[in-house]
mmCIF file of all heavy atoms in Angstrom:
data_model
loop_
_atom_site.group_PDB
_atom_site.id
_atom_site.type_symbol
_atom_site.label_atom_id
_atom_site.label_comp_id
_atom_site.label_asym_id
_atom_site.label_seq_id
_atom_site.Cartn_x
_atom_site.Cartn_y
_atom_site.Cartn_z
ATOM 1 N N PRO K 199 -75.342 85.281 14.274
ATOM 2 C CA PRO K 199 -74.005 85.832 14.020
ATOM 3 C C PRO K 199 -73.742 86.956 15.036
ATOM 4 O O PRO K 199 -74.607 87.765 15.357
ATOM 5 C CB PRO K 199 -74.121 86.365 12.561
ATOM 6 C CG PRO K 199 -75.270 85.668 11.999
ATOM 7 C CD PRO K 199 -76.248 85.435 13.125
ATOM 8 N N GLU K 200 -72.491 87.054 15.480
ATOM 9 C CA GLU K 200 -72.138 88.096 16.480
ATOM 10 C C GLU K 200 -70.632 88.305 16.515
ATOM 11 O O GLU K 200 -69.850 87.504 16.032
ATOM 12 C CB GLU K 200 -72.657 87.726 17.857
ATOM 13 C CG GLU K 200 -71.992 86.455 18.434
ATOM 14 C CD GLU K 200 -72.430 86.207 19.877
ATOM 15 O OE1 GLU K 200 -71.733 86.748 20.772
ATOM 16 O OE2 GLU K 200 -73.415 85.519 20.082
ATOM 17 N N PHE K 201 -70.305 89.455 17.089
ATOM 18 C CA PHE K 201 -68.868 89.761 17.398
ATOM 19 C C PHE K 201 -68.835 90.721 18.549
ATOM 20 O O PHE K 201 -69.853 91.296 18.924
ATOM 21 C CB PHE K 201 -68.138 90.316 16.175
ATOM 22 C CG PHE K 201 -68.650 91.665 15.693
ATOM 23 C CD1 PHE K 201 -68.111 92.847 16.181
ATOM 24 C CD2 PHE K 201 -69.641 91.703 14.732
ATOM 25 C CE1 PHE K 201 -68.590 94.077 15.725
ATOM 26 C CE2 PHE K 201 -70.123 92.954 14.290
ATOM 27 C CZ PHE K 201 -69.600 94.132 14.761
ATOM 28 N N THR K 202 -67.688 90.861 19.182
ATOM 29 C CA THR K 202 -67.526 91.727 20.338
ATOM 30 C C THR K 202 -66.537 92.850 20.032
ATOM 31 O O THR K 202 -65.469 92.582 19.458
ATOM 32 C CB THR K 202 -67.040 90.929 21.565
ATOM 33 O OG1 THR K 202 -67.992 89.899 21.833
ATOM 34 C CG2 THR K 202 -66.910 91.814 22.770
ATOM 35 N N THR K 203 -66.894 94.053 20.335
ATOM 36 C CA THR K 203 -66.034 95.194 20.030
ATOM 37 C C THR K 203 -64.823 95.244 21.012
ATOM 38 O O THR K 203 -64.843 94.687 22.084
ATOM 39 C CB THR K 203 -66.802 96.544 20.154
ATOM 40 O OG1 THR K 203 -67.326 96.622 21.478
ATOM 41 C CG2 THR K 203 -67.936 96.560 19.143
ATOM 42 N N THR K 204 -63.778 95.921 20.538
ATOM 43 C CA THR K 204 -62.570 96.076 21.320
ATOM 44 C C THR K 204 -62.230 97.545 21.462
ATOM 45 O O THR K 204 -62.766 98.389 20.748
ATOM 46 C CB THR K 204 -61.381 95.342 20.647
ATOM 47 O OG1 THR K 204 -61.263 95.834 19.300
ATOM 48 C CG2 THR K 204 -61.659 93.855 20.587
ATOM 49 N N ALA K 205 -61.290 97.846 22.374
ATOM 50 C CA ALA K 205 -60.837 99.227 22.530
ATOM 51 C C ALA K 205 -60.191 99.707 21.226
ATOM 52 O O ALA K 205 -59.541 98.935 20.492
ATOM 53 C CB ALA K 205 -59.869 99.341 23.660
ATOM 54 N N ALA K 206 -60.338 100.989 20.929
ATOM 55 C CA ALA K 206 -59.811 101.550 19.668
ATOM 56 C C ALA K 206 -58.336 101.286 19.520
ATOM 57 O O ALA K 206 -57.826 100.974 18.460
ATOM 58 C CB ALA K 206 -60.081 103.020 19.631
ATOM 59 N N GLY K 207 -57.553 101.363 20.619
ATOM 60 C CA GLY K 207 -56.090 101.143 20.544
ATOM 61 C C GLY K 207 -55.718 99.716 20.266
ATOM 62 O O GLY K 207 -54.572 99.429 19.879
ATOM 63 N N GLU K 208 -56.653 98.772 20.466
ATOM 64 C CA GLU K 208 -56.338 97.333 20.267
ATOM 65 C C GLU K 208 -56.501 96.906 18.841
ATOM 66 O O GLU K 208 -56.143 95.817 18.451
ATOM 67 C CB GLU K 208 -57.237 96.483 21.157
ATOM 68 C CG GLU K 208 -57.004 96.750 22.635
ATOM 69 C CD GLU K 208 -57.973 95.964 23.513
ATOM 70 O OE1 GLU K 208 -58.744 95.134 22.946
ATOM 71 O OE2 GLU K 208 -57.978 96.182 24.728
ATOM 72 N N ASP K 209 -57.093 97.757 18.001
ATOM 73 C CA ASP K 209 -57.340 97.388 16.630
ATOM 74 C C ASP K 209 -57.026 98.612 15.761
ATOM 75 O O ASP K 209 -57.697 99.620 15.837
ATOM 76 C CB ASP K 209 -58.826 96.987 16.447
ATOM 77 C CG ASP K 209 -59.105 96.349 15.080
ATOM 78 O OD1 ASP K 209 -58.394 96.711 14.128
ATOM 79 O OD2 ASP K 209 -59.998 95.491 15.010
ATOM 80 N N HIS K 210 -56.003 98.508 14.958
ATOM 81 C CA HIS K 210 -55.525 99.636 14.152
ATOM 82 C C HIS K 210 -56.131 99.716 12.774
ATOM 83 O O HIS K 210 -55.689 100.488 11.937
ATOM 84 C CB HIS K 210 -54.008 99.585 14.078
ATOM 85 C CG HIS K 210 -53.311 99.564 15.389
ATOM 86 N ND1 HIS K 210 -53.260 100.650 16.219
ATOM 87 C CD2 HIS K 210 -52.679 98.564 16.055
ATOM 88 C CE1 HIS K 210 -52.576 100.344 17.338
ATOM 89 N NE2 HIS K 210 -52.225 99.083 17.238
ATOM 90 N N HIS K 211 -57.207 98.922 12.545
ATOM 91 C CA HIS K 211 -57.765 98.933 11.219
ATOM 92 C C HIS K 211 -59.050 99.746 11.121
ATOM 93 O O HIS K 211 -59.670 99.826 10.087
ATOM 94 C CB HIS K 211 -58.096 97.469 10.788
ATOM 95 C CG HIS K 211 -56.877 96.596 10.744
ATOM 96 N ND1 HIS K 211 -55.891 96.724 9.797
ATOM 97 C CD2 HIS K 211 -56.501 95.569 11.567
ATOM 98 C CE1 HIS K 211 -54.946 95.862 10.031
ATOM 99 N NE2 HIS K 211 -55.275 95.143 11.102
ATOM 100 N N GLY K 212 -59.484 100.317 12.229
ATOM 101 C CA GLY K 212 -60.690 101.088 12.240
ATOM 102 C C GLY K 212 -60.551 102.313 11.360
ATOM 103 O O GLY K 212 -59.550 102.981 11.322
ATOM 104 N N GLY K 213 -61.633 102.660 10.618
ATOM 105 C CA GLY K 213 -61.564 103.790 9.696
ATOM 106 C C GLY K 213 -62.418 104.929 10.193
ATOM 107 O O GLY K 213 -63.237 104.803 11.097
ATOM 108 N N SER K 214 -62.209 106.099 9.621
ATOM 109 C CA SER K 214 -63.042 107.269 9.954
ATOM 110 C C SER K 214 -64.326 107.221 9.223
ATOM 111 O O SER K 214 -64.556 106.343 8.371
ATOM 112 C CB SER K 214 -62.293 108.541 9.542
ATOM 113 O OG SER K 214 -62.126 108.585 8.145
ATOM 114 N N HIS K 215 -65.244 108.135 9.519
ATOM 115 C CA HIS K 215 -66.513 108.162 8.813
ATOM 116 C C HIS K 215 -66.319 108.423 7.343
ATOM 117 O O HIS K 215 -66.976 107.846 6.479
ATOM 118 C CB HIS K 215 -67.406 109.265 9.397
ATOM 119 C CG HIS K 215 -68.796 109.214 8.832
ATOM 120 N ND1 HIS K 215 -69.133 109.827 7.643
ATOM 121 C CD2 HIS K 215 -69.975 108.666 9.284
ATOM 122 C CE1 HIS K 215 -70.397 109.686 7.375
ATOM 123 N NE2 HIS K 215 -70.945 108.979 8.369
ATOM 124 N N ALA K 216 -65.340 109.276 6.992
ATOM 125 C CA ALA K 216 -65.051 109.537 5.558
ATOM 126 C C ALA K 216 -64.598 108.290 4.848
ATOM 127 O O ALA K 216 -64.977 107.999 3.728
ATOM 128 C CB ALA K 216 -63.994 110.645 5.450
ATOM 129 N N GLU K 217 -63.734 107.496 5.525
ATOM 130 C CA GLU K 217 -63.274 106.258 4.923
ATOM 131 C C GLU K 217 -64.422 105.279 4.810
ATOM 132 O O GLU K 217 -64.522 104.558 3.802
ATOM 133 C CB GLU K 217 -62.179 105.651 5.805
ATOM 134 C CG GLU K 217 -60.894 106.466 5.805
ATOM 135 C CD GLU K 217 -59.886 105.938 6.819
ATOM 136 O OE1 GLU K 217 -60.321 105.327 7.809
ATOM 137 O OE2 GLU K 217 -58.702 106.184 6.625
ATOM 138 N N ALA K 218 -65.292 105.259 5.765
ATOM 139 C CA ALA K 218 -66.444 104.343 5.713
ATOM 140 C C ALA K 218 -67.364 104.694 4.557
ATOM 141 O O ALA K 218 -67.846 103.825 3.855
ATOM 142 C CB ALA K 218 -67.244 104.417 7.010
ATOM 143 N N ALA K 219 -67.580 105.959 4.343
ATOM 144 C CA ALA K 219 -68.455 106.400 3.265
ATOM 145 C C ALA K 219 -67.887 106.033 1.897
ATOM 146 O O ALA K 219 -68.619 105.797 0.930
ATOM 147 C CB ALA K 219 -68.658 107.910 3.333
ATOM 148 N N ALA K 220 -66.566 105.947 1.804
ATOM 149 C CA ALA K 220 -65.920 105.601 0.521
ATOM 150 C C ALA K 220 -65.746 104.110 0.331
ATOM 151 O O ALA K 220 -65.400 103.662 -0.742
ATOM 152 C CB ALA K 220 -64.566 106.262 0.430
ATOM 153 N N THR K 221 -66.059 103.290 1.365
ATOM 154 C CA THR K 221 -65.800 101.861 1.310
ATOM 155 C C THR K 221 -66.689 101.107 0.359
ATOM 156 O O THR K 221 -66.193 100.289 -0.399
ATOM 157 C CB THR K 221 -65.912 101.249 2.712
ATOM 158 O OG1 THR K 221 -64.932 101.866 3.544
ATOM 159 C CG2 THR K 221 -65.673 99.774 2.656
ATOM 160 N N PRO K 222 -68.006 101.293 0.332
ATOM 161 C CA PRO K 222 -68.818 100.487 -0.538
ATOM 162 C C PRO K 222 -68.395 100.541 -2.000
ATOM 163 O O PRO K 222 -68.249 101.609 -2.576
ATOM 164 C CB PRO K 222 -70.264 101.086 -0.375
ATOM 165 C CG PRO K 222 -70.224 101.721 0.966
ATOM 166 C CD PRO K 222 -68.816 102.263 1.099
ATOM 167 N N ALA K 223 -68.164 99.392 -2.572
ATOM 168 C CA ALA K 223 -67.657 99.328 -3.963
ATOM 169 C C ALA K 223 -68.800 99.446 -4.930
ATOM 170 O O ALA K 223 -69.925 99.160 -4.664
ATOM 171 C CB ALA K 223 -66.902 97.993 -4.186
ATOM 172 N N THR K 224 -68.450 99.902 -6.135
ATOM 173 C CA THR K 224 -69.458 99.997 -7.180
ATOM 174 C C THR K 224 -69.428 98.816 -8.110
ATOM 175 O O THR K 224 -70.233 98.654 -8.994
ATOM 176 C CB THR K 224 -69.246 101.265 -8.026
ATOM 177 O OG1 THR K 224 -67.898 101.250 -8.545
ATOM 178 C CG2 THR K 224 -69.389 102.505 -7.165
ATOM 179 N N THR K 225 -68.391 97.943 -7.962
ATOM 180 C CA THR K 225 -68.282 96.731 -8.782
ATOM 181 C C THR K 225 -68.900 95.592 -8.031
ATOM 182 O O THR K 225 -68.542 95.302 -6.918
ATOM 183 C CB THR K 225 -66.798 96.419 -9.034
ATOM 184 O OG1 THR K 225 -66.171 97.543 -9.672
ATOM 185 C CG2 THR K 225 -66.666 95.181 -9.920
ATOM 186 N N PRO K 226 -69.876 94.880 -8.657
ATOM 187 C CA PRO K 226 -70.534 93.765 -7.981
ATOM 188 C C PRO K 226 -69.523 92.708 -7.586
ATOM 189 O O PRO K 226 -68.614 92.376 -8.355
ATOM 190 C CB PRO K 226 -71.529 93.237 -9.050
ATOM 191 C CG PRO K 226 -71.733 94.393 -9.965
ATOM 192 C CD PRO K 226 -70.446 95.143 -9.986
ATOM 193 N N ALA K 227 -69.693 92.173 -6.401
ATOM 194 C CA ALA K 227 -68.838 91.095 -5.967
ATOM 195 C C ALA K 227 -69.231 89.818 -6.717
ATOM 196 O O ALA K 227 -70.397 89.518 -6.940
ATOM 197 C CB ALA K 227 -68.998 90.854 -4.462
ATOM 198 N N ALA K 228 -68.242 89.021 -7.127
ATOM 199 C CA ALA K 228 -68.489 87.815 -7.891
ATOM 200 C C ALA K 228 -69.180 86.803 -6.978
ATOM 201 O O ALA K 228 -68.809 86.605 -5.872
ATOM 202 C CB ALA K 228 -67.187 87.246 -8.430
ATOM 203 N N SER K 229 -70.138 86.061 -7.552
ATOM 204 C CA SER K 229 -70.824 85.029 -6.806
ATOM 205 C C SER K 229 -69.885 83.841 -6.607
ATOM 206 O O SER K 229 -69.094 83.501 -7.508
ATOM 207 C CB SER K 229 -72.064 84.529 -7.565
ATOM 208 O OG SER K 229 -72.966 85.576 -7.709
ATOM 209 N N THR K 230 -69.938 83.251 -5.440
ATOM 210 C CA THR K 230 -69.057 82.116 -5.155
ATOM 211 C C THR K 230 -69.765 80.849 -5.467
ATOM 212 O O THR K 230 -70.971 80.750 -5.320
ATOM 213 C CB THR K 230 -68.622 82.147 -3.675
ATOM 214 O OG1 THR K 230 -69.830 82.265 -2.881
ATOM 215 C CG2 THR K 230 -67.694 83.307 -3.375
ATOM 216 N N THR K 231 -69.005 79.814 -5.851
ATOM 217 C CA THR K 231 -69.598 78.545 -6.241
ATOM 218 C C THR K 231 -69.010 77.386 -5.492
ATOM 219 O O THR K 231 -69.328 76.252 -5.755
ATOM 220 C CB THR K 231 -69.456 78.321 -7.745
ATOM 221 O OG1 THR K 231 -68.065 78.374 -8.075
ATOM 222 C CG2 THR K 231 -70.189 79.370 -8.545
#
Side-chain angles (χ1 to χ4, degrees):
E200 63 173 272
F201 63 91
T202 301
T203 58
T204 56
E208 297 176 6
D209 191 330
H210 302 289
H211 300 291
S214 65
H215 186 277
E217 292 171 335
T221 299
T224 56
T225 302
S229 297
T230 51
T231 57

